[in-house]
Amino acid sequence: MTSTSPAARAPLGVADPVRLLRSWTPGSGSWFSGPAGSLRTRGVLTGLPPGDADAVLRCLRDLGDDAVAVGALPFDPAADAHLVVPEHVERADPLGAVLVAGPGGSPVAGTARPIPAPAAYEAMVAEALARMAAGGLDKVVLARALEVVADGPVDAVPMLRELARRDPRSYLFAVDLPPERAGTPRTLLGASPELLLSRRGATVTANPLAGSAARSSDPEEDRRRGEALLASAKDRHEHALVVADVAERLRPVVDDLEVPAAPSLVRTPTLWHLSTTVRARATDRDTSALHLAQALHPTPAVCGVPRAAAHTAITEIEPFDRGFYTGAVGWTDARGDGEWVMALRCGEVQGDRVRLWAGAGIVPASRPADELAETGVKLRTLLDALGLDEA
Ligand SMILES: C=C(O[C@@H]1C=C(C(=O)O)C=C[C@H]1O)C(=O)O
């Protein structure tokens, strides 16, 4: 069954996820998919107050029970979120293992400029280690970017399909952002492995990831790397800082918080990660998924510990503004349900430019060359979707 319905009213229908994915074009709306289902939005019924979760929930309730807001939260909680109520919303099953066949698109021709140069990123990590040694900082996530300038306009459609083909089980997204140049759509798209927070009825789930190792094409070596990650004291420490922060910030706003004592392994096509699924019960109907996501964000998976010192270090050390990278993308509805995914393994496409980013958690046991290599593997998700070799 397929239904296209005004977001503010009719119940949401269940469509074919691949057909819905194929219907997405830049500037037409947004796409989200994950293990719980797929969501395709079209048009903009109304914009929403940037970042005020109370006001967003009030607006949605005024529009009706099925009203949904979609968009992106920036890394910096003080910067403006981009949230809209779409004109139409269609829901579908998860892409899951569904094969997204079809033309992948030809590789993008152009140049990729690292920001900063690889050696300068290693120097950034060394600077973070020096700050940690001086005291007052336990973990900080430092990112680098690649600015791709193509020979012509970059088509985000084959990129989204290629991301879906390579990892249909990821949290896949293509979010329409306000254009910086009239007539040129601006899209944040990616295939993230990390759920910041979801709320469905009373069930609240967060799935912080931190601690990473590159996969290997040799199955035996691949398994060994996963096991080594699970046993690594450095990565367990880096991970534990994130889980403790998520638990501490959720505790005051939920009931029955369940935090597993030890992490497990999850994998993407390119990386192993340490993962912990935190569960809880939401009892307050005025605490929406957006409220809960904002209570957690930015977690130490993308910022650091203590948060304020890490945020200052990021602002002082990184040579760019992260914008929506390491923010969150997703949706929240009038019932308070919603899903917010970390904006990772992503890039922003606009005209002939694509900016991609990747970061790594730095703790005192980190080594600059290893963190540079880790960010290189993380950049591959988008580079592969672009058909580019550079890292
Ligand atoms: C910052 C990124 O990833 C985050 C950092 C991780 C780490 O440091 O091990 C792992 C997963 C993410 O929480 C990124 O992909 O850019």
Side-chain angles (χ1 to χ4, degrees):
M1 182 180 72
T2 300
S3 112
T4 304
S5 49
R9 264 172 283 114
L12 306 168
V14 178
D16 166 17
V18 176
R19 186 190 64 71
L20 267 198
L21 176 75
R22 287 181 182 284
S23 75
W24 180 80
T25 53
S28 70
S30 297
W31 163 269
F32 303 93
S33 62
S38 310
L39 188 77
R40 159 83 165 105
T41 74
R42 288 171 214 259
V44 177
L45 188 67
T46 177
L48 286 165
D52 179 343
D54 285 331
V56 167
L57 189 58
R58 269 197 311 276
C59 284
L60 291 174
R61 285 175 175 167
D62 286 348
L63 287 167
D65 263 6
D66 289 306
V68 182
V70 300
L73 313 178
F75 166 67
D76 181 354
D80 280 355
H82 172 63
L83 294 170
V84 302
V85 178
E87 261 171 330
H88 292 92
V89 176
E90 284 179 275
R91 288 188 192 269
D93 288 338
L95 276 180
V98 171
L99 185 65
V100 185
S106 42
V108 167
T111 56
R113 181 171 66 97
I115 309 171
Y121 179 76
E122 291 188 83
M124 285 164 54
V125 176
E127 163 68 18
L129 293 172
R131 289 186 186 212
M132 283 176 205
L137 183 63
D138 301 323
K139 171 179 177 176
V140 62
V141 177
L142 289 182
R144 63 191 183 101
L146 279 182
E147 174 91 354
V148 175
V149 181
D151 294 349
V154 176
D155 187 356
V157 169
M159 287 177 71
L160 181 64
R161 290 190 191 167
E162 189 59 15
L163 288 170
R165 192 183 67 74
R166 287 174 181 265
D167 194 5
R169 294 180 197 276
S170 67
Y171 293 97
L172 194 70
F173 57 90
V175 180
D176 220 4
L177 296 175
E180 285 166 346
R181 274 172 280 142
T184 306
R186 179 175 159 221
T187 309
L188 182 71
L189 84 169
S192 173
E194 185 163 355
L195 174 67
L196 173 61
L197 180 119
S198 74
R199 176 182 171 162
R200 269 164 232 281
T203 305
V204 174
T205 310
N207 184 200
L209 307 182
S212 308
R215 306 268 319 266
S216 165
S217 54
D218 170 46
E220 194 47 41
E221 171 63 10
D222 191 40
R223 198 181 51 80
R224 200 195 57 72
R225 289 187 190 180
E227 281 169 9
L229 177 65
L230 199 53
S232 153
K234 176 244 174 202
D235 289 284
R236 292 287 279 258
H237 171 63
E238 193 180 321
H239 186 78
L241 289 173
V242 184
V243 175
D245 188 84
V246 166
E248 191 183 309
R249 290 180 195 273
L250 264 186
R251 192 166 282 116
V253 284
V254 297
D255 286 330
D256 301 341
L257 187 68
E258 288 170 38
V259 184
S264 51
L265 284 174
V266 294
R267 59 190 154 181
T268 75
T270 51
L271 285 153
W272 290 103
H273 291 299
L274 296 182
S275 159
T276 297
T277 302
V278 173
R279 291 206 167 78
R281 222 158 43 82
T283 43
D284 182 353
R285 62 182 295 274
D286 293 331
T287 306
S288 69
L290 180 60
H291 284 94
L292 294 168
Q294 287 181 336
L296 295 184
H297 175 71
T299 78
V302 292
C303 185
V305 180
R307 181 188 279 181
H311 199 277
T312 302
I314 289 167
T315 313
E316 290 174 0
I317 298 175
E318 286 181 357
F320 48 76
D321 179 345
R322 290 186 181 184
F324 291 102
Y325 161 68
T326 59
V329 294
W331 59 274
T332 193
D333 71 13
R335 295 184 180 88
D337 287 354
E339 184 166 89
W340 292 93
V341 165
M342 296 282 208
L344 302 173
R345 320 296 147 82
C346 62
E348 199 177 293
V349 182
Q350 187 170 209
D352 62 354
R353 313 255 148 157
V354 189
R355 178 169 279 219
L356 17 154
W357 308 263
I362 315 302
V363 289
S366 293
R367 291 191 308 203
D370 294 348
E371 305 302 334
L372 176 68
E374 183 176 316
T375 52
V377 179
K378 287 172 172 166
L379 286 168
R380 285 252 52 95
T381 305
L382 260 280
L383 286 171
D384 288 345
L386 282 163
L388 287 174
D389 287 335
E390 281 94 332

Short mmCIF file of all heavy atoms in Angstrom, two decimals, residues 5-10 27-30 41-48 59-70 82-89 176:
data_model
loop_
_atom_site.label_atom_id
_atom_site.label_comp_id
_atom_site.label_asym_id
_atom_site.label_seq_id
_atom_site.Cartn_x
_atom_site.Cartn_y
_atom_site.Cartn_z
N SER A 5 0.41 11.69 2.01
CA SER A 5 -0.63 12.39 2.77
C SER A 5 -0.11 13.70 3.31
O SER A 5 1.07 13.84 3.59
CB SER A 5 -1.06 11.50 3.93
OG SER A 5 0.08 11.03 4.60
N PRO A 6 -1.01 14.68 3.44
CA PRO A 6 -0.57 15.92 4.09
C PRO A 6 -0.02 15.57 5.47
O PRO A 6 -0.65 14.84 6.23
CB PRO A 6 -1.86 16.73 4.20
CG PRO A 6 -2.80 16.11 3.20
CD PRO A 6 -2.42 14.67 3.12
N ALA A 7 1.16 16.07 5.77
CA ALA A 7 1.84 15.69 7.02
C ALA A 7 0.98 15.98 8.23
O ALA A 7 1.04 15.30 9.24
CB ALA A 7 3.14 16.45 7.13
N ALA A 8 0.16 17.03 8.10
CA ALA A 8 -0.58 17.46 9.29
C ALA A 8 -1.78 16.58 9.59
O ALA A 8 -2.36 16.70 10.65
CB ALA A 8 -1.03 18.90 9.09
N ARG A 9 -2.19 15.71 8.68
CA ARG A 9 -3.41 14.95 8.94
C ARG A 9 -3.29 13.43 8.80
O ARG A 9 -2.91 12.76 9.73
CB ARG A 9 -4.56 15.48 8.09
CG ARG A 9 -5.41 16.47 8.86
CD ARG A 9 -6.43 17.17 7.99
NE ARG A 9 -5.85 18.21 7.17
CZ ARG A 9 -5.78 18.17 5.83
NH1 ARG A 9 -6.27 17.18 5.17
NH2 ARG A 9 -5.22 19.15 5.18
N ALA A 10 -3.55 12.94 7.58
CA ALA A 10 -3.86 11.52 7.42
C ALA A 10 -2.78 10.60 7.97
O ALA A 10 -1.62 10.97 8.04
CB ALA A 10 -4.05 11.25 5.94
N GLY A 27 16.62 19.02 -3.26
CA GLY A 27 15.73 20.18 -3.26
C GLY A 27 14.27 19.82 -3.13
O GLY A 27 13.43 20.69 -2.91
N SER A 28 13.95 18.50 -3.26
CA SER A 28 12.53 18.10 -3.24
C SER A 28 12.05 17.74 -1.84
O SER A 28 10.86 17.58 -1.63
CB SER A 28 12.32 16.89 -4.15
OG SER A 28 12.93 15.73 -3.58
N GLY A 29 12.97 17.57 -0.90
CA GLY A 29 12.59 17.13 0.44
C GLY A 29 13.71 16.30 1.02
O GLY A 29 14.86 16.43 0.59
N SER A 30 13.40 15.45 1.98
CA SER A 30 14.44 14.70 2.67
C SER A 30 14.13 13.20 2.69
O SER A 30 12.99 12.79 2.49
CB SER A 30 14.59 15.21 4.11
OG SER A 30 15.01 16.55 4.11
N THR A 41 10.15 12.79 2.73
CA THR A 41 9.30 13.97 2.86
C THR A 41 9.41 14.82 1.60
O THR A 41 10.42 14.76 0.89
CB THR A 41 9.71 14.84 4.07
OG1 THR A 41 10.92 15.53 3.77
CG2 THR A 41 9.92 14.00 5.32
N ARG A 42 8.36 15.58 1.35
CA ARG A 42 8.36 16.49 0.19
C ARG A 42 7.85 17.85 0.61
O ARG A 42 6.88 17.95 1.37
CB ARG A 42 7.42 15.96 -0.89
CG ARG A 42 7.94 14.75 -1.62
CD ARG A 42 6.85 14.18 -2.50
NE ARG A 42 6.95 12.74 -2.57
CZ ARG A 42 7.48 12.07 -3.57
NH1 ARG A 42 7.94 12.70 -4.62
NH2 ARG A 42 7.53 10.75 -3.53
N GLY A 43 8.48 18.88 0.06
CA GLY A 43 8.00 20.24 0.25
C GLY A 43 8.12 20.73 1.68
O GLY A 43 8.56 20.00 2.58
N VAL A 44 7.73 21.97 1.88
CA VAL A 44 7.76 22.57 3.21
C VAL A 44 6.41 23.23 3.48
O VAL A 44 6.03 24.17 2.78
CB VAL A 44 8.89 23.62 3.33
CG1 VAL A 44 8.85 24.30 4.70
CG2 VAL A 44 10.24 22.98 3.10
N LEU A 45 5.70 22.70 4.46
CA LEU A 45 4.43 23.32 4.87
C LEU A 45 4.73 24.57 5.69
O LEU A 45 4.17 25.63 5.47
CB LEU A 45 3.63 22.31 5.69
CG LEU A 45 2.20 22.65 6.07
CD1 LEU A 45 1.33 22.70 4.82
CD2 LEU A 45 1.66 21.62 7.06
N THR A 46 5.65 24.42 6.62
CA THR A 46 6.06 25.56 7.45
C THR A 46 7.43 25.30 8.07
O THR A 46 7.80 24.16 8.32
CB THR A 46 5.00 25.83 8.55
OG1 THR A 46 5.45 26.89 9.38
CG2 THR A 46 4.76 24.63 9.43
N GLY A 47 8.16 26.37 8.31
CA GLY A 47 9.42 26.27 9.05
C GLY A 47 9.11 26.22 10.54
O GLY A 47 7.96 26.43 10.95
N LEU A 48 10.10 25.93 11.36
CA LEU A 48 9.87 25.81 12.81
C LEU A 48 10.92 26.59 13.56
O LEU A 48 12.01 26.84 13.03
CB LEU A 48 9.92 24.34 13.22
CG LEU A 48 8.70 23.51 12.81
CD1 LEU A 48 8.99 22.02 12.94
CD2 LEU A 48 7.48 23.88 13.65
N CYS A 59 3.82 23.55 18.11
CA CYS A 59 3.44 23.76 16.70
C CYS A 59 2.91 22.47 16.11
O CYS A 59 1.89 22.47 15.40
CB CYS A 59 4.64 24.17 15.86
SG CYS A 59 5.17 25.84 16.07
N LEU A 60 3.59 21.37 16.38
CA LEU A 60 3.18 20.08 15.80
C LEU A 60 1.81 19.68 16.32
O LEU A 60 0.95 19.23 15.56
CB LEU A 60 4.22 18.98 16.11
CG LEU A 60 5.57 19.14 15.41
CD1 LEU A 60 6.56 18.08 15.90
CD2 LEU A 60 5.42 19.03 13.89
N ARG A 61 1.57 19.87 17.62
CA ARG A 61 0.27 19.50 18.19
C ARG A 61 -0.85 20.34 17.58
O ARG A 61 -1.95 19.86 17.34
CB ARG A 61 0.30 19.63 19.71
CG ARG A 61 1.07 18.48 20.35
CD ARG A 61 1.20 18.68 21.84
NE ARG A 61 1.83 17.53 22.48
CZ ARG A 61 2.28 17.53 23.71
NH1 ARG A 61 2.20 18.61 24.47
NH2 ARG A 61 2.84 16.45 24.21
N ASP A 62 -0.52 21.62 17.32
CA ASP A 62 -1.53 22.48 16.68
C ASP A 62 -1.89 21.98 15.29
O ASP A 62 -3.01 22.14 14.83
CB ASP A 62 -1.01 23.92 16.56
CG ASP A 62 -1.00 24.63 17.91
OD1 ASP A 62 -1.59 24.09 18.85
OD2 ASP A 62 -0.36 25.70 18.01
N LEU A 63 -0.91 21.37 14.61
CA LEU A 63 -1.15 20.91 13.24
C LEU A 63 -1.91 19.59 13.20
O LEU A 63 -2.49 19.22 12.19
CB LEU A 63 0.19 20.75 12.50
CG LEU A 63 0.87 22.05 12.11
CD1 LEU A 63 2.31 21.81 11.69
CD2 LEU A 63 0.11 22.74 10.98
N GLY A 64 -1.85 18.82 14.28
CA GLY A 64 -2.59 17.55 14.32
C GLY A 64 -1.70 16.41 14.77
O GLY A 64 -0.47 16.52 14.75
N ASP A 65 -2.36 15.29 15.10
CA ASP A 65 -1.68 14.14 15.69
C ASP A 65 -0.55 13.55 14.86
O ASP A 65 0.40 12.99 15.40
CB ASP A 65 -2.71 13.02 15.90
CG ASP A 65 -3.22 13.03 17.32
OD1 ASP A 65 -2.85 13.97 18.04
OD2 ASP A 65 -3.98 12.10 17.68
N ASP A 66 -0.69 13.64 13.53
CA ASP A 66 0.31 13.00 12.68
C ASP A 66 1.37 13.96 12.17
O ASP A 66 2.17 13.59 11.31
CB ASP A 66 -0.38 12.31 11.49
CG ASP A 66 -1.15 11.09 11.96
OD1 ASP A 66 -0.54 10.24 12.62
OD2 ASP A 66 -2.37 11.04 11.72
N ALA A 67 1.36 15.19 12.66
CA ALA A 67 2.34 16.16 12.16
C ALA A 67 3.76 15.74 12.53
O ALA A 67 4.01 15.26 13.64
CB ALA A 67 2.03 17.54 12.71
N VAL A 68 4.66 15.93 11.59
CA VAL A 68 6.06 15.52 11.76
C VAL A 68 6.96 16.71 11.44
O VAL A 68 6.68 17.45 10.50
CB VAL A 68 6.41 14.37 10.78
CG1 VAL A 68 7.85 13.90 10.98
CG2 VAL A 68 5.47 13.20 10.93
N ALA A 69 8.03 16.87 12.23
CA ALA A 69 9.07 17.84 11.89
C ALA A 69 10.31 17.06 11.50
O ALA A 69 10.64 16.06 12.15
CB ALA A 69 9.37 18.73 13.09
N VAL A 70 11.01 17.50 10.46
CA VAL A 70 12.25 16.84 10.06
C VAL A 70 13.35 17.89 9.93
O VAL A 70 13.05 19.08 9.75
CB VAL A 70 12.13 16.10 8.71
CG1 VAL A 70 11.08 15.01 8.78
CG2 VAL A 70 11.84 17.06 7.56
N HIS A 82 17.89 23.41 11.75
CA HIS A 82 17.05 23.58 10.56
C HIS A 82 15.92 22.55 10.63
O HIS A 82 16.14 21.36 10.43
CB HIS A 82 17.88 23.38 9.29
CG HIS A 82 17.04 23.34 8.07
ND1 HIS A 82 16.28 24.43 7.66
CD2 HIS A 82 16.77 22.35 7.18
CE1 HIS A 82 15.61 24.10 6.58
NE2 HIS A 82 15.89 22.85 6.26
N LEU A 83 14.72 23.02 10.99
CA LEU A 83 13.59 22.12 11.18
C LEU A 83 12.39 22.61 10.38
O LEU A 83 12.06 23.80 10.45
CB LEU A 83 13.20 22.07 12.67
CG LEU A 83 14.22 21.45 13.61
CD1 LEU A 83 13.81 21.70 15.06
CD2 LEU A 83 14.35 19.96 13.35
N VAL A 84 11.76 21.71 9.66
CA VAL A 84 10.56 22.08 8.90
C VAL A 84 9.47 21.03 9.07
O VAL A 84 9.76 19.87 9.38
CB VAL A 84 10.86 22.23 7.38
CG1 VAL A 84 11.95 23.25 7.13
CG2 VAL A 84 11.22 20.89 6.74
N VAL A 85 8.23 21.47 8.87
CA VAL A 85 7.12 20.52 8.73
C VAL A 85 6.93 20.32 7.23
O VAL A 85 6.63 21.30 6.53
CB VAL A 85 5.82 21.05 9.36
CG1 VAL A 85 4.68 20.05 9.15
CG2 VAL A 85 6.01 21.33 10.84
N PRO A 86 7.15 19.10 6.74
CA PRO A 86 7.00 18.90 5.30
C PRO A 86 5.54 18.94 4.86
O PRO A 86 4.64 18.73 5.67
CB PRO A 86 7.57 17.49 5.06
CG PRO A 86 7.97 16.97 6.38
CD PRO A 86 7.54 17.89 7.46
N GLU A 87 5.35 19.18 3.56
CA GLU A 87 3.99 19.15 3.01
C GLU A 87 3.45 17.74 2.97
O GLU A 87 2.29 17.49 3.26
CB GLU A 87 4.03 19.69 1.57
CG GLU A 87 3.60 21.13 1.50
CD GLU A 87 3.86 21.71 0.12
OE1 GLU A 87 4.81 21.28 -0.57
OE2 GLU A 87 3.10 22.58 -0.26
N HIS A 88 4.30 16.80 2.58
CA HIS A 88 3.88 15.39 2.47
C HIS A 88 4.93 14.50 3.11
O HIS A 88 6.12 14.78 3.03
CB HIS A 88 3.71 14.98 1.01
CG HIS A 88 2.55 15.64 0.35
ND1 HIS A 88 2.69 16.82 -0.34
CD2 HIS A 88 1.25 15.31 0.29
CE1 HIS A 88 1.51 17.19 -0.80
NE2 HIS A 88 0.61 16.29 -0.43
N VAL A 89 4.43 13.42 3.71
CA VAL A 89 5.33 12.43 4.33
C VAL A 89 4.90 11.05 3.86
O VAL A 89 3.72 10.73 3.88
CB VAL A 89 5.22 12.49 5.87
CG1 VAL A 89 6.08 11.39 6.51
CG2 VAL A 89 5.64 13.85 6.40
N ASP A 176 17.50 18.05 3.07
CA ASP A 176 17.44 19.31 2.34
C ASP A 176 17.79 20.46 3.29
O ASP A 176 17.08 20.67 4.27
CB ASP A 176 15.96 19.47 1.93
CG ASP A 176 15.80 20.01 0.55
OD1 ASP A 176 16.81 20.19 -0.13
OD2 ASP A 176 14.63 20.23 0.17
#
